[in-house]
Amino acid sequence: MLGIVVCILGFYNAYVYYTSSKSLKEQLINYNMTNRALKKTLLKGLIYRFNTEEGEESPLDFEKFVSDLFQNYYGGNAIVTEESGDGGIDIEHYKGENLYLGQVKCYQAENKVDFNPIAIIHSQMIKKKAKGGFIVTTSEFSENAKRYASNLNIDLIEGDDLVNIWLKSMEESKEQAVDTIPLET
């Protein structure tokens, strides 16, 4: 009799585990779909905010946004260069003794970035003896641009990557803020 009860309980536990793991899988799928939709919405919001006539801010404000984001996320000191006469450099990011040069492009999703900004950054890296470079876009890079940038120490940050950096930066900022709250004694 005890053996039958143990078997029934075993089958019941297996059934509960199977149904709960199936539910967990469904929840994870729903979470991933929601997460992708959220990131897509955030990216469209950035494009609207910085790259439309109706937008609240200008492309120069986008440079400042990326500069602040890089400084928060990667550390160091990121500076937006002058609007003209900057040699195609939008941001100079100093990390210790190392200089990284960047350009930002707030483009609609269908407008891919070609290799021209990469050539400019690479030229300026050599000229200013920079350690590396980066190009940030709200869209994507063309395949030619990706091939051209390989082995040049230039990071290509596409829209999805930008949103991920933004979200991680906000999470780290939140954790740092919590760490600075004094505990009552």
Side-chain angles (χ1 to χ4, degrees), residues 52-143:
T52 63
E53 291 180 16
E54 300 87 22
E56 301 168 12
E57 300 176 64
S58 70
L60 180 60
D61 292 318
F62 183 62
E63 293 174 13
K64 291 175 185 172
F65 171 81
V66 172
S67 175
D68 290 345
L69 180 62
F70 271 45
Q71 189 166 301
N72 290 337
Y73 187 73
Y74 293 111
N77 186 27
I79 301 166
V80 175
T81 61
E82 296 179 21
E83 285 188 66
S84 62
D86 60 11
I89 303 302
D90 296 328
I91 299 171
E92 293 180 347
H93 188 193
Y94 296 90
K95 290 181 69 181
E97 298 293 317
N98 297 320
L99 170 62
Y100 297 86
L101 302 174
Q103 235 187 58
V104 300
K105 304 288 182 193
C106 188
Y107 288 167
Q108 297 291 335
E110 63 276 359
N111 188 5
K112 291 187 177 188
V113 178
D114 66 9
F115 65 89
N116 290 323
I118 299 163
I120 291 169
I121 290 293
H122 187 247
S123 171
Q124 291 294 334
M125 283 170 52
I126 293 168
K127 190 175 185 179
K128 296 186 177 206
K129 296 179 175 60
K131 174 94 174 168
F134 58 91
I135 301 170
V136 177
T137 183
T138 50
S139 66
E140 297 178 341
F141 293 92
S142 69
E143 290 304 314

